[in-house]
Amino acid sequence: MRRPSPGSIIASNPPEIALAGELLRAGEIVGMPTETVYGLAGDATNGLAVAAIYDAKGRPSFNPLISHLADPADADAFGVMNADAARLAAAFWPGPLTLVVPHRAGSPISDLARAGLDTVALRVPSHPVARALIRAAGRPIAAPSANRSGRISPTEAIHVQAELDGKVAVVVDGGPCEIGLESTVVACINDRPMLLRPGGVPREALRQALGRDLADGDSHGAIRGPGMLESHYAPIAPLQMNVAEPGPDDAVLTFASSKFVGRGPGGPVIDLSPTGDLRQAAARLFGALRELDAFHPSVISVTPIPMHGLGEAINDRLRRAAAPRSDARSD
Ligand code: TXA
Ligand code: MG
């Protein structure tokens, strides 16, 4: 594979798009134009690629990411589209609308891209370069806006390069973004569609397509309120952090430590990364929590995890999982 120098801006002609598609398949992250804002794109089915996205953004927490698809017909493979979702997709896809729907069981979208939720955010962008790139990659593409956390969303290739130089393999230049504002996010989880984030598709247009009003939600991924799906993933077992000496029957989640391996007939032990790689740890975090939970332990004890790099987001997520359940939030 030809490798342009890291962070370079490449044109959006077919050979360059094919190259960017190859980079995505190889787990690299790439600046991707869309009609809303530029995205920081990675293979949504590859936990390590998704971890690299969070790392590049410097996000202190794991916000769930949007999985971008090339065609509306692809959505069924990854999410469960109810009648409202189907109506909105028919009206606004391809375009600046993201639908949050129940995750399709067995779909390959990684736990980390969904931040461990049992829902998935799907969007079919209308930008021809985005669609060509997703098609070239041949898989759903996770992409948050390509700015560092807390900064302004980029609407030109050069902004992405300025924000994330050295963190992306290439930036595909698709020209300035037509809309320049993120997609509207609507959850279609139960019988009341909910507006989670205003954006490129105005509320009035949504209302018209649905034939009724939308409820209002929280833009950070937590869907709360009476009768709403509790979409926050926390293990069923109570979880405690920064435990130096886990009890003999605790399930243990550890990091770069062989101390608890083979400790006998006690609870299960998972090392998030024997080599001490925080990206690997991030990619494995939600799966590991599920695995430990499946043993129905009385408690999951987590040994200290470093706070640098993705460690901050890992610790943030664990803190939420350890919080009293009524306060659990997923942003
Ligand atoms: O226009 C856009 O949407 C751009 C382009 C690149 O597509 N992307 C973007 O991604 O704005 P991001 O990560 O900056 O924002 C995604 C939003 C967040 O507010 C996140 O909480 C919400 O979508 N979201 C994603 N998955 C969700 C889920 N399962 N449940 C609820 N909210 C979710
Ligand atoms: Mg953003």
Side-chain angles (χ1 to χ4, degrees), residues 32 34 36-40 57 59 63-66 68 98 100 114 117 119-121 123 143-145 181-183 185 196-197 219-223:
M32 172 177 80
T34 84
T36 58
V37 298
Y38 273 74
L40 187 55
K57 276 192 75 92
R59 264 191 182 169
N63 278 345
L65 303 180
I66 299 168
H68 297 71
T98 294
V100 172
R114 293 180 288 110
L117 300 176
T119 54
V120 65
R123 171 160 118 78
S145 49
L181 169 94
E182 283 91 344
S183 62
V185 182
L196 298 183
R197 178 178 78 180
S219 67
H220 295 285
I223 298 170

PDB file of all heavy atoms in Angstrom, residues 32 34 36-40 57 59 63-66 68 98 100 114 117 119-121 123 143-145 181-183 185 196-197 219-223, ligand 1:
ATOM      1  N   MET A  32     -12.437  12.543   7.063  1.00  0.00           N
ATOM      2  CA  MET A  32     -13.458  12.264   6.037  1.00  0.00           C
ATOM      3  C   MET A  32     -14.417  13.447   5.891  1.00  0.00           C
ATOM      4  O   MET A  32     -15.011  13.874   6.873  1.00  0.00           O
ATOM      5  CB  MET A  32     -14.257  11.015   6.458  1.00  0.00           C
ATOM      6  CG  MET A  32     -15.469  10.730   5.569  1.00  0.00           C
ATOM      7  SD  MET A  32     -16.348   9.206   6.023  1.00  0.00           S
ATOM      8  CE  MET A  32     -17.322   9.769   7.431  1.00  0.00           C
ATOM      9  N   THR A  34     -17.860  15.259   5.142  1.00  0.00           N
ATOM     10  CA  THR A  34     -19.291  14.949   5.015  1.00  0.00           C
ATOM     11  C   THR A  34     -19.995  16.279   4.737  1.00  0.00           C
ATOM     12  O   THR A  34     -19.363  17.339   4.799  1.00  0.00           O
ATOM     13  CB  THR A  34     -19.911  14.288   6.274  1.00  0.00           C
ATOM     14  OG1 THR A  34     -20.281  15.291   7.212  1.00  0.00           O
ATOM     15  CG2 THR A  34     -18.978  13.260   6.920  1.00  0.00           C
ATOM     16  N   THR A  36     -22.016  17.711   6.642  1.00  0.00           N
ATOM     17  CA  THR A  36     -22.195  18.476   7.886  1.00  0.00           C
ATOM     18  C   THR A  36     -20.859  19.072   8.327  1.00  0.00           C
ATOM     19  O   THR A  36     -20.656  20.290   8.235  1.00  0.00           O
ATOM     20  CB  THR A  36     -22.786  17.580   8.985  1.00  0.00           C
ATOM     21  OG1 THR A  36     -21.921  16.468   9.210  1.00  0.00           O
ATOM     22  CG2 THR A  36     -24.190  17.111   8.627  1.00  0.00           C
ATOM     23  N   VAL A  37     -19.982  18.219   8.819  1.00  0.00           N
ATOM     24  CA  VAL A  37     -18.642  18.634   9.242  1.00  0.00           C
ATOM     25  C   VAL A  37     -17.683  17.506   8.849  1.00  0.00           C
ATOM     26  O   VAL A  37     -18.131  16.419   8.479  1.00  0.00           O
ATOM     27  CB  VAL A  37     -18.566  18.872  10.781  1.00  0.00           C
ATOM     28  CG1 VAL A  37     -19.512  19.992  11.196  1.00  0.00           C
ATOM     29  CG2 VAL A  37     -18.850  17.599  11.571  1.00  0.00           C
ATOM     30  N   TYR A  38     -16.392  17.749   8.923  1.00  0.00           N
ATOM     31  CA  TYR A  38     -15.429  16.671   8.667  1.00  0.00           C
ATOM     32  C   TYR A  38     -15.448  15.705   9.852  1.00  0.00           C
ATOM     33  O   TYR A  38     -15.569  16.108  11.012  1.00  0.00           O
ATOM     34  CB  TYR A  38     -14.012  17.224   8.479  1.00  0.00           C
ATOM     35  CG  TYR A  38     -13.737  17.621   7.044  1.00  0.00           C
ATOM     36  CD1 TYR A  38     -14.294  18.780   6.515  1.00  0.00           C
ATOM     37  CD2 TYR A  38     -12.957  16.825   6.205  1.00  0.00           C
ATOM     38  CE1 TYR A  38     -14.067  19.141   5.183  1.00  0.00           C
ATOM     39  CE2 TYR A  38     -12.710  17.173   4.882  1.00  0.00           C
ATOM     40  CZ  TYR A  38     -13.278  18.329   4.380  1.00  0.00           C
ATOM     41  OH  TYR A  38     -13.059  18.673   3.072  1.00  0.00           O
ATOM     42  N   GLY A  39     -15.337  14.412   9.530  1.00  0.00           N
ATOM     43  CA  GLY A  39     -15.319  13.389  10.562  1.00  0.00           C
ATOM     44  C   GLY A  39     -13.929  12.790  10.707  1.00  0.00           C
ATOM     45  O   GLY A  39     -13.115  12.821   9.783  1.00  0.00           O
ATOM     46  N   LEU A  40     -13.683  12.266  11.893  1.00  0.00           N
ATOM     47  CA  LEU A  40     -12.445  11.532  12.167  1.00  0.00           C
ATOM     48  C   LEU A  40     -12.826  10.063  12.045  1.00  0.00           C
ATOM     49  O   LEU A  40     -13.428   9.491  12.942  1.00  0.00           O
ATOM     50  CB  LEU A  40     -11.995  11.877  13.579  1.00  0.00           C
ATOM     51  CG  LEU A  40     -10.673  11.387  14.087  1.00  0.00           C
ATOM     52  CD1 LEU A  40      -9.548  11.813  13.160  1.00  0.00           C
ATOM     53  CD2 LEU A  40     -10.430  11.941  15.478  1.00  0.00           C
ATOM     54  N   LYS A  57      -8.847  12.408  19.518  1.00  0.00           N
ATOM     55  CA  LYS A  57      -9.702  13.516  19.930  1.00  0.00           C
ATOM     56  C   LYS A  57      -9.356  14.026  21.324  1.00  0.00           C
ATOM     57  O   LYS A  57      -9.760  15.118  21.710  1.00  0.00           O
ATOM     58  CB  LYS A  57     -11.180  13.091  19.920  1.00  0.00           C
ATOM     59  CG  LYS A  57     -11.818  13.205  18.553  1.00  0.00           C
ATOM     60  CD  LYS A  57     -13.325  13.070  18.631  1.00  0.00           C
ATOM     61  CE  LYS A  57     -14.043  14.266  19.179  1.00  0.00           C
ATOM     62  NZ  LYS A  57     -14.492  15.238  18.194  1.00  0.00           N
ATOM     63  N   ARG A  59     -10.554  12.775  24.033  1.00  0.00           N
ATOM     64  CA  ARG A  59     -11.804  12.806  24.791  1.00  0.00           C
ATOM     65  C   ARG A  59     -11.606  12.176  26.157  1.00  0.00           C
ATOM     66  O   ARG A  59     -11.143  11.049  26.255  1.00  0.00           O
ATOM     67  CB  ARG A  59     -12.878  11.984  24.064  1.00  0.00           C
ATOM     68  CG  ARG A  59     -13.756  12.832  23.203  1.00  0.00           C
ATOM     69  CD  ARG A  59     -14.957  12.064  22.705  1.00  0.00           C
ATOM     70  NE  ARG A  59     -15.724  12.959  21.840  1.00  0.00           N
ATOM     71  CZ  ARG A  59     -16.709  12.564  21.065  1.00  0.00           C
ATOM     72  NH1 ARG A  59     -17.073  11.317  21.035  1.00  0.00           N
ATOM     73  NH2 ARG A  59     -17.349  13.442  20.331  1.00  0.00           N
ATOM     74  N   ASN A  63     -17.811   9.002  24.487  1.00  0.00           N
ATOM     75  CA  ASN A  63     -19.135   9.276  23.932  1.00  0.00           C
ATOM     76  C   ASN A  63     -19.397   8.230  22.867  1.00  0.00           C
ATOM     77  O   ASN A  63     -18.489   7.904  22.109  1.00  0.00           O
ATOM     78  CB  ASN A  63     -19.156  10.635  23.231  1.00  0.00           C
ATOM     79  CG  ASN A  63     -19.346  11.766  24.185  1.00  0.00           C
ATOM     80  OD1 ASN A  63     -19.731  11.562  25.321  1.00  0.00           O
ATOM     81  ND2 ASN A  63     -19.055  12.963  23.728  1.00  0.00           N
ATOM     82  N   PRO A  64     -20.635   7.763  22.771  1.00  0.00           N
ATOM     83  CA  PRO A  64     -20.892   6.828  21.672  1.00  0.00           C
ATOM     84  C   PRO A  64     -20.717   7.541  20.336  1.00  0.00           C
ATOM     85  O   PRO A  64     -20.991   8.733  20.222  1.00  0.00           O
ATOM     86  CB  PRO A  64     -22.347   6.408  21.905  1.00  0.00           C
ATOM     87  CG  PRO A  64     -22.946   7.486  22.744  1.00  0.00           C
ATOM     88  CD  PRO A  64     -21.832   8.071  23.550  1.00  0.00           C
ATOM     89  N   LEU A  65     -20.223   6.812  19.343  1.00  0.00           N
ATOM     90  CA  LEU A  65     -19.942   7.401  18.033  1.00  0.00           C
ATOM     91  C   LEU A  65     -21.008   7.012  17.008  1.00  0.00           C
ATOM     92  O   LEU A  65     -21.667   5.992  17.144  1.00  0.00           O
ATOM     93  CB  LEU A  65     -18.573   6.924  17.523  1.00  0.00           C
ATOM     94  CG  LEU A  65     -17.387   7.205  18.429  1.00  0.00           C
ATOM     95  CD1 LEU A  65     -16.111   6.664  17.781  1.00  0.00           C
ATOM     96  CD2 LEU A  65     -17.253   8.700  18.700  1.00  0.00           C
ATOM     97  N   ILE A  66     -21.131   7.825  15.983  1.00  0.00           N
ATOM     98  CA  ILE A  66     -22.049   7.528  14.883  1.00  0.00           C
ATOM     99  C   ILE A  66     -21.355   6.569  13.922  1.00  0.00           C
ATOM    100  O   ILE A  66     -20.205   6.788  13.545  1.00  0.00           O
ATOM    101  CB  ILE A  66     -22.425   8.831  14.147  1.00  0.00           C
ATOM    102  CG1 ILE A  66     -23.134   9.797  15.110  1.00  0.00           C
ATOM    103  CG2 ILE A  66     -23.295   8.533  12.928  1.00  0.00           C
ATOM    104  CD1 ILE A  66     -23.296  11.217  14.563  1.00  0.00           C
ATOM    105  N   HIS A  68     -21.272   5.410  10.199  1.00  0.00           N
ATOM    106  CA  HIS A  68     -21.704   5.938   8.910  1.00  0.00           C
ATOM    107  C   HIS A  68     -21.786   4.812   7.889  1.00  0.00           C
ATOM    108  O   HIS A  68     -20.873   3.980   7.801  1.00  0.00           O
ATOM    109  CB  HIS A  68     -20.724   7.017   8.435  1.00  0.00           C
ATOM    110  CG  HIS A  68     -20.673   8.213   9.335  1.00  0.00           C
ATOM    111  ND1 HIS A  68     -20.104   8.178  10.595  1.00  0.00           N
ATOM    112  CD2 HIS A  68     -21.142   9.472   9.175  1.00  0.00           C
ATOM    113  CE1 HIS A  68     -20.220   9.377  11.162  1.00  0.00           C
ATOM    114  NE2 HIS A  68     -20.842  10.183  10.323  1.00  0.00           N
ATOM    115  N   THR A  98     -29.032  11.552  12.032  1.00  0.00           N
ATOM    116  CA  THR A  98     -28.519  10.347  12.682  1.00  0.00           C
ATOM    117  C   THR A  98     -29.654   9.704  13.460  1.00  0.00           C
ATOM    118  O   THR A  98     -30.370  10.393  14.194  1.00  0.00           O
ATOM    119  CB  THR A  98     -27.363  10.715  13.637  1.00  0.00           C
ATOM    120  OG1 THR A  98     -26.281  11.211  12.840  1.00  0.00           O
ATOM    121  CG2 THR A  98     -26.887   9.519  14.443  1.00  0.00           C
ATOM    122  N   VAL A 100     -30.703   6.907  16.265  1.00  0.00           N
ATOM    123  CA  VAL A 100     -30.271   6.012  17.341  1.00  0.00           C
ATOM    124  C   VAL A 100     -31.341   4.942  17.496  1.00  0.00           C
ATOM    125  O   VAL A 100     -32.506   5.255  17.767  1.00  0.00           O
ATOM    126  CB  VAL A 100     -30.072   6.785  18.658  1.00  0.00           C
ATOM    127  CG1 VAL A 100     -29.806   5.827  19.816  1.00  0.00           C
ATOM    128  CG2 VAL A 100     -28.922   7.782  18.519  1.00  0.00           C
ATOM    129  N   ARG A 114     -20.007   1.970  20.308  1.00  0.00           N
ATOM    130  CA  ARG A 114     -21.321   2.220  20.908  1.00  0.00           C
ATOM    131  C   ARG A 114     -21.182   2.644  22.370  1.00  0.00           C
ATOM    132  O   ARG A 114     -22.177   2.787  23.061  1.00  0.00           O
ATOM    133  CB  ARG A 114     -22.187   0.960  20.806  1.00  0.00           C
ATOM    134  CG  ARG A 114     -22.559   0.621  19.364  1.00  0.00           C
ATOM    135  CD  ARG A 114     -23.423  -0.625  19.269  1.00  0.00           C
ATOM    136  NE  ARG A 114     -22.671  -1.824  19.556  1.00  0.00           N
ATOM    137  CZ  ARG A 114     -22.819  -2.571  20.649  1.00  0.00           C
ATOM    138  NH1 ARG A 114     -23.706  -2.260  21.564  1.00  0.00           N
ATOM    139  NH2 ARG A 114     -22.080  -3.642  20.827  1.00  0.00           N
ATOM    140  N   LEU A 117     -23.258   0.785  24.868  1.00  0.00           N
ATOM    141  CA  LEU A 117     -24.724   0.870  24.910  1.00  0.00           C
ATOM    142  C   LEU A 117     -25.344  -0.264  24.085  1.00  0.00           C
ATOM    143  O   LEU A 117     -24.699  -0.852  23.238  1.00  0.00           O
ATOM    144  CB  LEU A 117     -25.198   2.217  24.345  1.00  0.00           C
ATOM    145  CG  LEU A 117     -24.701   3.471  25.069  1.00  0.00           C
ATOM    146  CD1 LEU A 117     -25.169   4.727  24.338  1.00  0.00           C
ATOM    147  CD2 LEU A 117     -25.209   3.488  26.506  1.00  0.00           C
ATOM    148  N   THR A 119     -27.687   0.407  22.101  1.00  0.00           N
ATOM    149  CA  THR A 119     -28.237   1.107  20.943  1.00  0.00           C
ATOM    150  C   THR A 119     -27.081   1.461  20.013  1.00  0.00           C
ATOM    151  O   THR A 119     -25.916   1.382  20.404  1.00  0.00           O
ATOM    152  CB  THR A 119     -28.943   2.410  21.379  1.00  0.00           C
ATOM    153  OG1 THR A 119     -28.027   3.182  22.152  1.00  0.00           O
ATOM    154  CG2 THR A 119     -30.187   2.103  22.203  1.00  0.00           C
ATOM    155  N   VAL A 120     -27.413   1.860  18.797  1.00  0.00           N
ATOM    156  CA  VAL A 120     -26.374   2.254  17.849  1.00  0.00           C
ATOM    157  C   VAL A 120     -26.858   3.484  17.081  1.00  0.00           C
ATOM    158  O   VAL A 120     -28.051   3.611  16.792  1.00  0.00           O
ATOM    159  CB  VAL A 120     -26.030   1.075  16.903  1.00  0.00           C
ATOM    160  CG1 VAL A 120     -27.207   0.691  16.015  1.00  0.00           C
ATOM    161  CG2 VAL A 120     -24.805   1.385  16.044  1.00  0.00           C
ATOM    162  N   ALA A 121     -25.938   4.409  16.818  1.00  0.00           N
ATOM    163  CA  ALA A 121     -26.276   5.606  16.047  1.00  0.00           C
ATOM    164  C   ALA A 121     -25.849   5.390  14.601  1.00  0.00           C
ATOM    165  O   ALA A 121     -24.685   5.076  14.332  1.00  0.00           O
ATOM    166  CB  ALA A 121     -25.558   6.816  16.638  1.00  0.00           C
ATOM    167  N   ARG A 123     -25.944   6.734  10.443  1.00  0.00           N
ATOM    168  CA  ARG A 123     -26.181   7.856   9.538  1.00  0.00           C
ATOM    169  C   ARG A 123     -25.658   7.510   8.157  1.00  0.00           C
ATOM    170  O   ARG A 123     -24.589   6.908   8.022  1.00  0.00           O
ATOM    171  CB  ARG A 123     -25.457   9.106  10.078  1.00  0.00           C
ATOM    172  CG  ARG A 123     -25.435  10.284   9.122  1.00  0.00           C
ATOM    173  CD  ARG A 123     -25.153  11.564   9.895  1.00  0.00           C
ATOM    174  NE  ARG A 123     -23.932  12.241   9.506  1.00  0.00           N
ATOM    175  CZ  ARG A 123     -23.783  12.999   8.416  1.00  0.00           C
ATOM    176  NH1 ARG A 123     -24.793  13.171   7.583  1.00  0.00           N
ATOM    177  NH2 ARG A 123     -22.625  13.592   8.162  1.00  0.00           N
ATOM    178  N   ALA A 143     -17.323   7.849  13.050  1.00  0.00           N
ATOM    179  CA  ALA A 143     -16.693   9.149  12.867  1.00  0.00           C
ATOM    180  C   ALA A 143     -17.352  10.213  13.735  1.00  0.00           C
ATOM    181  O   ALA A 143     -18.479  10.606  13.479  1.00  0.00           O
ATOM    182  CB  ALA A 143     -16.748   9.571  11.398  1.00  0.00           C
ATOM    183  N   PRO A 144     -16.625  10.675  14.752  1.00  0.00           N
ATOM    184  CA  PRO A 144     -17.055  11.889  15.439  1.00  0.00           C
ATOM    185  C   PRO A 144     -16.541  13.082  14.636  1.00  0.00           C
ATOM    186  O   PRO A 144     -15.757  12.908  13.702  1.00  0.00           O
ATOM    187  CB  PRO A 144     -16.339  11.796  16.785  1.00  0.00           C
ATOM    188  CG  PRO A 144     -15.070  11.066  16.463  1.00  0.00           C
ATOM    189  CD  PRO A 144     -15.392  10.123  15.314  1.00  0.00           C
ATOM    190  N   SER A 145     -16.985  14.276  14.982  1.00  0.00           N
ATOM    191  CA  SER A 145     -16.442  15.450  14.312  1.00  0.00           C
ATOM    192  C   SER A 145     -14.929  15.478  14.550  1.00  0.00           C
ATOM    193  O   SER A 145     -14.449  15.114  15.622  1.00  0.00           O
ATOM    194  CB  SER A 145     -17.113  16.712  14.831  1.00  0.00           C
ATOM    195  OG  SER A 145     -17.118  16.727  16.245  1.00  0.00           O
ATOM    196  N   LEU A 181     -22.691  22.204  10.098  1.00  0.00           N
ATOM    197  CA  LEU A 181     -23.253  22.015  11.440  1.00  0.00           C
ATOM    198  C   LEU A 181     -23.599  20.534  11.528  1.00  0.00           C
ATOM    199  O   LEU A 181     -24.030  19.962  10.531  1.00  0.00           O
ATOM    200  CB  LEU A 181     -24.507  22.875  11.492  1.00  0.00           C
ATOM    201  CG  LEU A 181     -25.485  22.751  12.616  1.00  0.00           C
ATOM    202  CD1 LEU A 181     -25.106  23.801  13.656  1.00  0.00           C
ATOM    203  CD2 LEU A 181     -26.893  23.059  12.120  1.00  0.00           C
ATOM    204  N   GLU A 182     -23.416  19.946  12.694  1.00  0.00           N
ATOM    205  CA  GLU A 182     -23.581  18.497  12.816  1.00  0.00           C
ATOM    206  C   GLU A 182     -25.006  18.022  12.489  1.00  0.00           C
ATOM    207  O   GLU A 182     -25.948  18.812  12.483  1.00  0.00           O
ATOM    208  CB  GLU A 182     -23.228  18.042  14.233  1.00  0.00           C
ATOM    209  CG  GLU A 182     -21.741  17.983  14.499  1.00  0.00           C
ATOM    210  CD  GLU A 182     -21.182  19.265  15.048  1.00  0.00           C
ATOM    211  OE1 GLU A 182     -21.869  20.311  14.940  1.00  0.00           O
ATOM    212  OE2 GLU A 182     -20.067  19.230  15.589  1.00  0.00           O
ATOM    213  N   SER A 183     -25.091  16.711  12.306  1.00  0.00           N
ATOM    214  CA  SER A 183     -26.390  16.108  11.994  1.00  0.00           C
ATOM    215  C   SER A 183     -27.344  16.199  13.187  1.00  0.00           C
ATOM    216  O   SER A 183     -26.921  16.289  14.337  1.00  0.00           O
ATOM    217  CB  SER A 183     -26.187  14.630  11.621  1.00  0.00           C
ATOM    218  OG  SER A 183     -25.638  13.914  12.710  1.00  0.00           O
ATOM    219  N   VAL A 185     -29.725  14.419  15.719  1.00  0.00           N
ATOM    220  CA  VAL A 185     -29.749  13.052  16.258  1.00  0.00           C
ATOM    221  C   VAL A 185     -31.131  12.769  16.841  1.00  0.00           C
ATOM    222  O   VAL A 185     -31.599  13.497  17.726  1.00  0.00           O
ATOM    223  CB  VAL A 185     -28.664  12.854  17.345  1.00  0.00           C
ATOM    224  CG1 VAL A 185     -28.681  11.408  17.859  1.00  0.00           C
ATOM    225  CG2 VAL A 185     -27.274  13.202  16.810  1.00  0.00           C
ATOM    226  N   LEU A 196     -32.470  14.118  20.231  1.00  0.00           N
ATOM    227  CA  LEU A 196     -31.350  14.124  21.176  1.00  0.00           C
ATOM    228  C   LEU A 196     -30.391  15.276  20.909  1.00  0.00           C
ATOM    229  O   LEU A 196     -29.720  15.751  21.820  1.00  0.00           O
ATOM    230  CB  LEU A 196     -30.561  12.811  21.103  1.00  0.00           C
ATOM    231  CG  LEU A 196     -31.297  11.527  21.461  1.00  0.00           C
ATOM    232  CD1 LEU A 196     -30.349  10.339  21.401  1.00  0.00           C
ATOM    233  CD2 LEU A 196     -31.923  11.615  22.845  1.00  0.00           C
ATOM    234  N   ARG A 197     -30.299  15.703  19.649  1.00  0.00           N
ATOM    235  CA  ARG A 197     -29.417  16.820  19.314  1.00  0.00           C
ATOM    236  C   ARG A 197     -29.977  17.537  18.100  1.00  0.00           C
ATOM    237  O   ARG A 197     -30.162  16.917  17.061  1.00  0.00           O
ATOM    238  CB  ARG A 197     -28.004  16.316  18.997  1.00  0.00           C
ATOM    239  CG  ARG A 197     -27.044  17.450  18.596  1.00  0.00           C
ATOM    240  CD  ARG A 197     -25.636  16.969  18.327  1.00  0.00           C
ATOM    241  NE  ARG A 197     -25.501  16.334  17.021  1.00  0.00           N
ATOM    242  CZ  ARG A 197     -24.362  15.826  16.552  1.00  0.00           C
ATOM    243  NH1 ARG A 197     -23.262  15.846  17.302  1.00  0.00           N
ATOM    244  NH2 ARG A 197     -24.319  15.268  15.362  1.00  0.00           N
ATOM    245  N   SER A 219     -28.654  15.310  24.875  1.00  0.00           N
ATOM    246  CA  SER A 219     -27.792  15.151  23.707  1.00  0.00           C
ATOM    247  C   SER A 219     -26.563  14.301  23.969  1.00  0.00           C
ATOM    248  O   SER A 219     -25.718  14.158  23.115  1.00  0.00           O
ATOM    249  CB  SER A 219     -27.355  16.517  23.211  1.00  0.00           C
ATOM    250  OG  SER A 219     -26.517  17.092  24.168  1.00  0.00           O
ATOM    251  N   HIS A 220     -26.450  13.787  25.169  1.00  0.00           N
ATOM    252  CA  HIS A 220     -25.211  13.063  25.473  1.00  0.00           C
ATOM    253  C   HIS A 220     -25.367  11.557  25.503  1.00  0.00           C
ATOM    254  O   HIS A 220     -24.578  10.862  26.104  1.00  0.00           O
ATOM    255  CB  HIS A 220     -24.615  13.567  26.774  1.00  0.00           C
ATOM    256  CG  HIS A 220     -24.194  14.988  26.654  1.00  0.00           C
ATOM    257  ND1 HIS A 220     -23.069  15.360  25.965  1.00  0.00           N
ATOM    258  CD2 HIS A 220     -24.782  16.121  27.062  1.00  0.00           C
ATOM    259  CE1 HIS A 220     -22.966  16.674  25.993  1.00  0.00           C
ATOM    260  NE2 HIS A 220     -23.998  17.160  26.647  1.00  0.00           N
ATOM    261  N   GLY A 221     -26.423  11.086  24.891  1.00  0.00           N
ATOM    262  CA  GLY A 221     -26.492   9.641  24.743  1.00  0.00           C
ATOM    263  C   GLY A 221     -27.279   8.948  25.832  1.00  0.00           C
ATOM    264  O   GLY A 221     -27.595   7.783  25.710  1.00  0.00           O
ATOM    265  N   ALA A 222     -27.617   9.659  26.895  1.00  0.00           N
ATOM    266  CA  ALA A 222     -28.402   9.022  27.942  1.00  0.00           C
ATOM    267  C   ALA A 222     -29.869   9.228  27.595  1.00  0.00           C
ATOM    268  O   ALA A 222     -30.316  10.343  27.396  1.00  0.00           O
ATOM    269  CB  ALA A 222     -28.103   9.638  29.294  1.00  0.00           C
ATOM    270  N   ILE A 223     -30.588   8.150  27.465  1.00  0.00           N
ATOM    271  CA  ILE A 223     -32.006   8.265  27.178  1.00  0.00           C
ATOM    272  C   ILE A 223     -32.716   7.935  28.479  1.00  0.00           C
ATOM    273  O   ILE A 223     -32.655   6.824  28.967  1.00  0.00           O
ATOM    274  CB  ILE A 223     -32.403   7.290  26.060  1.00  0.00           C
ATOM    275  CG1 ILE A 223     -31.643   7.675  24.802  1.00  0.00           C
ATOM    276  CG2 ILE A 223     -33.893   7.319  25.832  1.00  0.00           C
ATOM    277  CD1 ILE A 223     -31.752   6.654  23.704  1.00  0.00           C
TER     278      ILE A 223
HETATM  279  O1  TXA B   1     -22.757  15.509  11.501  1.00  0.00           O
HETATM  280  C1  TXA B   1     -22.361  14.661  12.312  1.00  0.00           C
HETATM  281  O2  TXA B   1     -23.125  14.007  12.992  1.00  0.00           O
HETATM  282  C2  TXA B   1     -20.842  14.461  12.407  1.00  0.00           C
HETATM  283  C3  TXA B   1     -20.355  13.905  11.070  1.00  0.00           C
HETATM  284  C4  TXA B   1     -18.899  13.549  11.095  1.00  0.00           C
HETATM  285  O3  TXA B   1     -21.139  12.795  10.704  1.00  0.00           O
HETATM  286  N1  TXA B   1     -20.516  13.605  13.496  1.00  0.00           N
HETATM  287  C5  TXA B   1     -20.675  13.982  14.810  1.00  0.00           C
HETATM  288  O4  TXA B   1     -20.295  13.012  15.720  1.00  0.00           O
HETATM  289  O5  TXA B   1     -21.124  15.055  15.146  1.00  0.00           O
HETATM  290  P1  TXA B   1     -20.086  13.305  17.271  1.00  0.00           P
HETATM  291  O6  TXA B   1     -19.401  12.083  17.818  1.00  0.00           O
HETATM  292  O7  TXA B   1     -19.367  14.594  17.466  1.00  0.00           O
HETATM  293  O8  TXA B   1     -21.553  13.367  17.838  1.00  0.00           O
HETATM  294  C6  TXA B   1     -22.343  12.197  17.929  1.00  0.00           C
HETATM  295  C7  TXA B   1     -23.558  12.450  18.777  1.00  0.00           C
HETATM  296  C8  TXA B   1     -23.193  12.659  20.235  1.00  0.00           C
HETATM  297  O9  TXA B   1     -24.011  13.668  20.781  1.00  0.00           O
HETATM  298  C9  TXA B   1     -23.531  11.305  20.835  1.00  0.00           C
HETATM  299  O10 TXA B   1     -23.825  11.373  22.202  1.00  0.00           O
HETATM  300  C10 TXA B   1     -24.730  10.871  19.996  1.00  0.00           C
HETATM  301  O11 TXA B   1     -24.418  11.300  18.706  1.00  0.00           O
HETATM  302  N2  TXA B   1     -24.888   9.401  20.005  1.00  0.00           N
HETATM  303  C11 TXA B   1     -24.134   8.488  19.361  1.00  0.00           C
HETATM  304  N3  TXA B   1     -24.537   7.233  19.657  1.00  0.00           N
HETATM  305  C12 TXA B   1     -25.577   7.350  20.487  1.00  0.00           C
HETATM  306  C13 TXA B   1     -26.414   6.423  21.154  1.00  0.00           C
HETATM  307  N4  TXA B   1     -26.264   5.087  21.009  1.00  0.00           N
HETATM  308  N5  TXA B   1     -27.383   6.909  21.949  1.00  0.00           N
HETATM  309  C14 TXA B   1     -27.564   8.237  22.083  1.00  0.00           C
HETATM  310  N6  TXA B   1     -26.786   9.170  21.492  1.00  0.00           N
HETATM  311  C15 TXA B   1     -25.805   8.747  20.713  1.00  0.00           C
END
